[in-house]
């Protein structure tokens, strides 16, 4: 299997990774405008250089808490299914290369609610990276709800 470029970021004290080819940019936190009747994990929308993007709290999506918004908080602008969204992350750390063969499935015992959103885990130096499957984080209903926000 080929080498994969992964952007490494922190979320709730854990180290996560996402495919670089799906990450458009990392941005400082912007003003978020709440949207009535949005799903709880959609914190609202923001204007990024003329584009209106929904802002998603991954911790709420994973049902493991709520992101603390602090000075260091960043937004990972990602693309999935032709939809761009801003994911709230603690900080972006690095871009690394991971050998595709070193990616292992998520252990069943580590399952939990958000296991279905994970591609697997990989060792990189001293870190254990939890790799997100961005295409599954937003299911078709979520994408449709987001498209409705864009109207």
């Amino acid at each position: 299997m080929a080498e994969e470029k992964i952007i490494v970021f922190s979320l709730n004290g854990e180290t996560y990774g996402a495919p670089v080819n799906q990450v458009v940019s990392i941005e400082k936190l912007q003003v978020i405008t709440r949207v009535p009747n949005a799903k709880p994990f959609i914190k609202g929308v923001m204007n990024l250089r003329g584009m209106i993007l929904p802002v998603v709290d991954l911790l709420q999506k994973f049902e493991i808490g709520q992101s603390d918004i602090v000075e260091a908080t960043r937004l990972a602008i990602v693309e999935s299914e032709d939809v761009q969204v801003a994911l709230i992350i603690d900080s972006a750390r690095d871009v690394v290369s991971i050998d595709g063969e070193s990616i292992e499935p998520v252990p069943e015992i580590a399952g939990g609610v958000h296991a279905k959103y994970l591609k697997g885990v990989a060792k990189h130096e001293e870190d254990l990276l939890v790799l997100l499957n961005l295409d599954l984080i937003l299911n078709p209903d979520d994408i449709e709800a987001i498209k409705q926000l864009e109207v």
Side-chain angles (χ1 to χ4, degrees):
M1 201 178 258
E3 208 172 64
E4 291 189 42
K5 294 269 190 214
I6 303 292
I7 187 159
V8 178
F9 60 92
S10 298
L11 181 64
N12 201 29
E14 300 294 328
T15 304
Y16 286 83
V20 160
N21 63 345
Q22 287 185 276
V23 179
V24 177
S25 65
I26 303 294
E27 305 288 339
K28 286 188 173 184
L29 194 64
Q30 310 279 326
V31 174
I32 299 171
T33 303
R34 291 201 163 280
V35 177
N37 302 320
K39 293 189 175 189
F41 65 87
I42 299 176
K43 303 317 291 174
V45 295
M46 63 175 238
N47 182 346
L48 181 66
R49 295 184 281 282
M51 283 185 58
I52 304 300
L53 298 177
V55 179
V56 172
D57 185 340
L58 283 176
L59 292 181
Q60 277 193 293
K61 176 67 178 175
F62 295 162
E63 298 179 19
I64 56 174
Q66 186 169 339
S67 292
D68 291 327
I69 306 298
V70 297
E71 182 70 28
T73 300
R74 295 291 178 258
L75 299 169
I77 312 303
V78 301
E79 189 165 31
S80 176
E81 303 284 330
D82 297 325
V83 174
Q84 285 190 7
V85 298
L87 303 177
I88 298 172
I89 61 175
D90 295 341
S91 64
R93 298 203 343 226
D94 209 351
V95 174
V96 299
S97 294
I98 300 288
D99 181 0
E101 291 180 14
S102 72
I103 299 172
E104 298 179 19
V106 178
E108 283 186 40
I109 193 137
V113 173
H114 72 286
K116 63 185 173 189
Y117 306 123
L118 305 180
K119 178 179 180 181
V121 293
K123 292 178 193 158
H124 180 264
E125 296 173 358
E126 298 300 313
D127 284 333
L128 187 62
L129 298 177
V130 178
L131 303 176
L132 297 179
N133 185 335
L134 296 178
D135 294 330
L136 294 181
I137 287 178
L138 298 176
N139 64 43
D141 290 341
D142 297 337
I143 290 171
E144 195 52 44
I146 287 168
K147 286 182 178 177
Q148 295 301 316
L149 294 177
E150 295 173 353
V151 175

